[in-house]
Amino acid sequence: MKLRLAVVGAAGVLVMSAGAAAASTSHGSNDSLRSLGAKIGLRIGTAVNANKLNSDAKYTEIVADQFSTVTPENVMKWDAIEPTQGTLNFGPADQLVTFAKQHDQLVRGHTLLWHNQLPGWLTAGVGGGTIDNTQLKAILKKHITDEVTHFKGKIWQWDVANEFFANAWDPHPLADGINGDDFWVQHLGEGIVADAFRWAHAADPHALLFYNDFNIAGEDGTNAKADAVLAFAVKLKHAGVPIDGIGDQGHLDTQFGFSGTAMTQDLQRYADNGFKVALTEVDVRTFIETTDANQTPTDQLSTFAQPYEYSQMLKACLAVRSCISFTVWGFDDADSWVPGFFVGEGYADIYDVNLNPKPAYTDLQQDLQLAAHGAQHRTGSGAHS
Ligand code: 9MR
């Protein structure tokens, strides 16, 4: 079913249409993030909570109207796709893919190879010794092949491998920066990353294949992780591994420093080495009054820092021609993963808990307006006028 929307105010507030005056939503209303991004070839995306899509009308309208690419927040992960070994459950992900097609959106597939959200039968089998490493590799190959084949032709970018590199706090990095404690690296060695790209490419040769991670575009003080990812990706490319792009997740926290300049430089460095780049999971969290359901920040200054960091990330993407999509990791605070993962933090998204746009939304919209149209020419600024 196509959603019909009518009025979208300057701040992106949606008003339901009763009928004939409704504008088609397939390309978003005029001031929507997606429409503005489209003018410069940039896709604006969101992670989608599949439980809300088509069941919460306002949520669904915003997804349709504001975004030109969608990422399933959870329903394409292995535990969702194969909760019981051999029984594949593509239903919820198929619904999102159908929705995206109806609304002229492209899909970022997320994610094929990760240490998290693995099916219980798999981790139990490996832990209990009933799945040995040879079997594990065959099971993984089947998983990637089955999933990519199922969605063949319907996925724009796949996050093939996710979060393989060590952070400063991880105790056992390998020589090239890969996390030696990663589940897959421990069992199958780091060559499994290249295998995953090859298997995905064999199943859908037209999908863009991405390596996805956090703190790999200027957020890491030493830049060691970004350096390691770049060197690794270049090595794969030279070895003929089908890797097209690098995704920086962009999960920021206002309590840490952040340099938009460093992000721009790192994104450009990937681009200069022949990779497409994408901001894949953008959000900016801060400390909140935890007793307040509205996720009000504890510090007034963070209500300025939060939209500022969004804007800096978008500008970094805008500055790099190979940056082809900018995706927020959920658009509303009510659905954010942040309060459940970081004690005392929230306010991470661009819409509030009641699905109203926040200053971060307006900042992104203004940045895109300027990128799309430039500033209006001044009149009356001449010496004699
Ligand atoms: O937002 C996702 C949350 O709903 C899940 O519970 C969580 C489980 O691992 O994964 C979250 O998404 C993650 C993404 O898939 C990969 N990068 C980090 C994201 C936030 O944890």
Side-chain angles (χ1 to χ4, degrees):
M1 183 195 74
K2 274 207 172 172
L3 288 168
R4 290 170 71 80
L5 305 175
V7 186
V8 176
V13 182
L14 290 161
V15 181
M16 275 296 282
S17 157
S24 163
T25 62
S26 64
H27 297 95
S29 49
N30 286 347
D31 279 339
S32 64
L33 303 181
R34 69 178 291 179
S35 297
L36 294 166
K39 295 195 187 303
I40 51 166
L42 175 64
R43 296 258 167 188
I44 307 294
T46 184
V48 174
N49 175 349
N51 296 326
K52 284 219 173 154
L53 199 67
N54 296 324
S55 67
D56 180 321
K58 190 170 176 186
Y59 179 95
T60 308
E61 288 158 24
I62 295 171
V63 174
D65 189 50
Q66 295 291 331
F67 301 101
S68 50
T69 171
V70 288
T71 307
E73 185 169 0
N74 287 304
V75 294
M76 281 191 194
K77 292 171 180 172
W78 196 347
D79 63 348
I81 294 293
E82 197 175 0
T84 305
Q85 188 170 14
T87 306
L88 301 180
N89 173 27
F90 289 115
D94 282 341
Q95 277 181 21
L96 177 59
V97 170
T98 301
F99 179 92
K101 191 169 169 49
Q102 286 169 344
H103 296 91
D104 198 18
Q105 297 166 321
L106 298 181
V107 180
R108 297 196 81 260
H110 177 86
T111 175
L112 298 170
L113 182 61
W114 190 27
H115 60 267
N116 254 345
Q117 290 175 283
L118 295 170
W121 57 263
L122 184 87
T123 46
V126 171
T130 56
I131 298 176
D132 67 23
N133 288 346
T134 307
Q135 292 166 320
L136 181 63
K137 188 168 178 179
I139 291 169
L140 175 64
K141 181 177 183 183
K142 181 168 167 26
H143 160 64
I144 291 178
T145 304
D146 286 349
E147 181 158 355
V148 178
T149 301
H150 177 83
F151 294 111
K152 185 178 179 183
K154 298 174 179 170
I155 302 293
W156 180 38
Q157 306 173 13
W158 266 113
D159 285 334
V160 174
N162 197 41
E163 299 173 7
F164 270 83
F165 280 78
N167 301 287
W169 59 84
D170 289 317
H172 302 118
L174 303 183
D176 60 2
I178 291 246
N179 186 357
D181 291 331
D182 180 272
F183 173 87
W184 293 106
V185 174
Q186 286 207 324
H187 289 283
L188 302 178
E190 62 179 272
I192 198 60
V193 175
D195 287 336
F197 278 91
R198 292 193 187 97
W199 295 331
H201 182 70
D204 187 353
H206 296 300
L208 293 174
L209 304 185
F210 272 67
Y211 175 75
N212 191 51
D213 211 329
F214 58 90
N215 287 1
I216 59 164
E219 306 97 327
D220 170 10
T222 67
N223 224 31
K225 200 174 171 188
D227 292 344
V229 168
L230 176 64
F232 183 80
V234 166
K235 198 176 80 183
L236 290 191
K237 206 182 223 327
H238 287 168
V241 176
I243 174 170
D244 301 294
I246 309 290
D248 178 52
Q249 295 180 1
H251 293 294
L252 301 188
D253 185 326
T254 61
Q255 71 178 307
F256 305 122
F258 170 68
S259 162
T261 307
M263 176 171 270
T264 307
Q265 287 168 349
D266 275 353
L267 294 180
Q268 188 62 54
R269 211 162 53 136
Y270 295 125
D272 290 345
N273 281 278
F275 297 103
K276 297 185 188 317
V277 292
L279 270 296
T280 56
E281 305 183 16
V282 171
D283 57 16
V284 183
R285 60 188 181 270
T286 196
F287 286 97
I288 55 168
E289 305 287 356
T290 47
T291 50
D292 172 5
N294 292 324
Q295 301 189 21
T296 305
T298 51
D299 179 350
Q300 167 72 6
L301 283 179
S302 57
T303 64
F304 296 98
Q306 200 259 7
Y308 173 79
E309 292 192 357
Y310 265 100
S311 176
Q312 289 289 297
M313 284 193 273
L314 177 57
K315 284 172 180 153
C317 177
L318 289 170
V320 176
R321 284 190 80 173
S322 301
C323 187
I324 57 175
S325 60
F326 181 93
T327 292
V328 294
W329 199 242
F331 60 89
D332 64 303
D333 287 338
D335 292 291
S336 172
W337 67 295
V338 166
F341 279 73
F342 297 95
V343 177
E345 294 192 76
Y347 193 78
D349 293 321
I350 63 173
Y351 284 69
D352 68 17
V353 292
N354 298 311
L355 297 175
N356 296 314
K358 290 160 61 179
Y361 172 91
T362 310
D363 279 11
L364 295 184
Q365 189 185 41
Q366 288 174 345
D367 289 340
L368 290 169
Q369 272 160 344
L370 285 170
H373 304 298
Q376 294 181 65
H377 192 80
R378 305 304 87 186
T379 54
S381 58
H384 302 291
S385 54

